[in-house]
Amino acid sequence: KTGVFDGSLILDLENHQFLAPVLAQLVACRRTSEPLFDLLPGQLSWSLESFGSRLGLKPPPLPYQLKHSGPSIDFADQSRDLTSIKRPGRWRSDSSLRRYEKGAQV
């Protein structure tokens, strides 16, 4: 939407540390020309629905909830400031972020 793109993922919080070795293994097992994740939007939706069903989540999670839950958790537990929350979500304004941030619902 904003014409700005940054495909990086910041793993600086303690509860993210388990991801570093997992992602390193994924990187090591692929060709450098291949994307790290090769999922189409429909495949992501199907995977979330499948996992949600196995976990007994009703309704199952939807892809957009991934974009909403991270900022909400970061805001609710005060692990990031608003500028740091906006960057990975590619929000340019505070008002855009506030539409997605639902810390009270976490």
Side-chain angles (χ1 to χ4, degrees):
K1 281 184 183 180
T2 62
V4 177
F5 183 79
D6 178 4
S8 63
L9 188 63
I10 303 169
L11 301 175
D12 60 339
L13 301 177
E14 187 177 325
N15 62 339
H16 296 160
Q17 296 309 302
F18 76 96
L19 286 171
V22 173
L23 292 173
Q25 185 65 35
L26 287 173
V27 168
C29 294
R30 70 171 175 91
R31 293 187 184 113
T32 54
S33 61
E34 294 176 336
L36 190 55
F37 300 103
D38 193 17
L39 283 175
L40 298 172
Q43 292 171 310
L44 178 60
S45 296
W46 180 87
S47 295
L48 286 173
E49 186 174 331
S50 176
F51 294 136
S53 176
R54 285 191 233 165
L55 293 171
L57 301 176
K58 294 181 183 178
L62 299 170
Y64 80 89
Q65 290 171 308
L66 299 176
K67 184 172 184 173
H68 295 232
S69 60
S72 295
I73 292 168
D74 288 349
F75 185 80
D77 68 12
Q78 299 178 348
S79 58
R80 296 191 196 284
D81 61 27
L82 284 179
T83 302
S84 299
I85 292 172
K86 283 193 302 191
R87 192 178 319 118
R90 299 186 203 125
W91 293 290
R92 295 178 98 176
S93 69
D94 291 348
S95 61
S96 294
L97 172 63
R98 284 191 186 96
R99 279 196 301 266
Y100 288 95
E101 181 281 311
K102 304 289 183 207
Q105 296 178 12
V106 175

